[in-house]
Amino acid sequence: MLSRVLTALILGGSALALLAFGWPQLFGLQNSWVFAHVVSLRGVGVAVAAAGLVVLALLTSIRPLRRLAGSLAVLVLLFAFGNAAVLATRGIGVPSAAAEGKSISAAATDDVTVLSWNTLGDEPGSAAIARLALDQGADIVTLPETTEATGVKIAEAMREAGRPMWVHTIAFDQVSKARSTTLLISPDLGEYTVSSAGGSGPPGNTNVLPTVVATPVNGAGPTIIAVHAVAPINWEMSNWRSDLDWLAGQCAGGNVIMAGDFNSTVDHMSGRESAASAVLGRCRDAALATGSGAVGTWPTFLPSLLGSPIDHVLSTPNWQADSMSVIESEDAAGSDHRPIVATLSPR
């Protein structure tokens, strides 16, 4: 009798834990320590579950553990299938080679091409970043962890190639390159001015790492936001949650394009949407819209389907996502993030 009660408690507790790790939104735990980290790596979760099934299969050969191990195996199998189903629903995208070699600028039409790359403190170098931006025909380039000096060099290289860009940078200090974010905007989109504060923290900016909010001088174009939210490490959890809240507020307007390192997946954004099909404020995710929402952008040492999709291109409903790709050809460039590129068109 006691063994049955103990078995029931183990199975019940395991089922509840696996459900919470697989869909923490159900319990409001998507922004909580541990749960936030597990759900950010769904591909790894599937791989770990597969390894667990092998161990449990071996344990079924031990007679006293056969029933418990078999029941646990069913739960782990459901956890693996659940995560795999979420990944399949969000989409594994197309090979990044499909995004390469695209040198025709979107400026000839109303389309806007957005490139984003957390450069890990300028690591790929200005020449490599400029080359990628030119290859993609980028109208907007958001570069978390990129200094103003590097941004200017990128713009100079692009200008020499016939693709001039305006440079906007916010640096919280000059000590750490991670505390600089640079935004490049094509003059074809008009003149822009930075409206986010140079100091950290709401109401003017994200808390630890800078976000650049650029607004059109004539008020006619989209507000363009280069995002860098802090990572959800143990001592930054409250700042991370605050950053996501602040970014949701920035996407409350009618015409916004935001891109960068959100340090969060769409699971973490859950509960901050304010419109149908939105993931953050009124903004929709280009990756989800184009079937590449499960492709990991960090870290580069993991295969993309095991990585975490924490870099995003988001936009308000007046923009349609026509394409979105995670570029894997730059994995050896020096950054721990993969670049992403999306093309948006007015609805």
Side-chain angles (χ1 to χ4, degrees):
M1 180 65 178
L2 183 59
S3 63
R4 290 183 179 179
V5 172
L6 184 59
T7 298
L9 289 174
I10 292 173
L11 292 176
S14 298
L16 191 62
L18 290 173
L19 179 60
F21 284 128
W23 198 255
Q25 300 93 309
L26 186 63
F27 305 94
L29 295 172
Q30 68 271 23
N31 296 148
S32 299
W33 178 246
V34 179
F35 294 95
H37 299 80
V38 172
V39 79
S40 68
L41 293 165
R42 289 187 180 274
V44 172
V46 173
V48 170
L53 286 171
V54 173
V55 174
L56 290 169
L58 294 175
L59 290 177
T60 58
S61 62
I62 303 174
R63 186 175 182 85
L65 298 177
R66 184 172 299 167
R67 181 173 297 179
L68 176 60
S71 299
L72 287 173
V74 172
L75 294 177
V76 171
L77 185 63
L78 290 173
F79 175 79
F81 272 123
N83 275 299
V86 171
L87 293 173
T89 300
R90 292 176 180 174
I92 60 173
V94 296
S96 59
E100 296 167 12
K102 176 180 173 293
S103 58
I104 300 175
S105 170
T109 69
D110 292 332
D111 294 352
V112 175
T113 297
V114 184
L115 173 71
S116 182
W117 195 2
N118 180 323
T119 67
L120 193 65
D122 301 336
E123 278 299 315
S126 59
I129 301 168
R131 171 187 52 77
L132 184 63
L134 289 167
D135 287 347
Q136 299 301 326
D139 302 289
I140 298 168
V141 184
T142 69
L143 300 169
E145 298 196 28
T146 305
T147 60
E148 183 177 24
T150 295
V152 170
K153 290 179 181 178
I154 296 167
E156 289 173 346
M158 294 183 71
R159 182 188 62 204
E160 291 174 2
R163 191 85 174 118
M165 304 290 278
W166 297 117
V167 181
H168 305 280
T169 300
I170 290 181
F172 282 169
D173 61 48
Q174 302 300 322
V175 178
S176 171
K177 292 181 179 180
R179 285 168 64 81
S180 290
T181 298
T182 291
L183 168 64
L184 279 67
I185 304 175
S186 170
D188 293 332
L189 296 178
E191 186 178 354
Y192 275 77
T193 184
V194 174
S195 58
S196 51
S200 60
N205 214 307
T206 37
N207 287 280
V208 180
L209 306 167
T211 291
V212 181
V213 179
T215 53
V217 171
N218 64 5
T223 295
I224 300 171
I225 305 175
V227 174
H228 198 185
V230 73
I233 53 181
N234 192 19
W235 56 89
E236 295 287 10
M237 292 298 292
S238 62
N239 282 329
W240 174 65
R241 288 188 286 263
S242 173
D243 283 356
L244 293 181
D245 291 341
W246 186 82
L247 290 168
Q250 301 311 301
C251 213
N255 191 4
V256 178
I257 295 173
M258 61 196 318
D261 178 7
F262 289 73
N263 267 309
S264 62
T265 69
V266 293
D267 292 296
H268 304 126
M269 298 177 189
S270 179
R272 294 182 173 89
E273 64 276 10
S274 60
S277 302
V279 297
L280 193 68
R282 298 185 67 246
C283 281
R284 301 173 178 181
D285 183 67
L288 286 181
T290 57
S292 56
V295 184
T297 62
W298 175 93
T300 53
F301 66 79
L302 283 178
S304 59
L305 292 184
L306 293 182
S308 184
I310 60 175
D311 299 87
H312 304 270
V313 175
L314 306 182
S315 60
T316 41
N318 58 303
W319 293 97
Q320 173 178 295
D322 297 322
S323 66
M324 161 75 187
S325 295
V326 177
I327 301 173
E328 299 179 43
S329 60
E330 304 295 330
D331 283 3
S335 176
D336 56 346
H337 286 251
R338 296 185 175 99
I340 58 173
V341 62
T343 299
L344 310 175
S345 60
R347 286 187 178 274

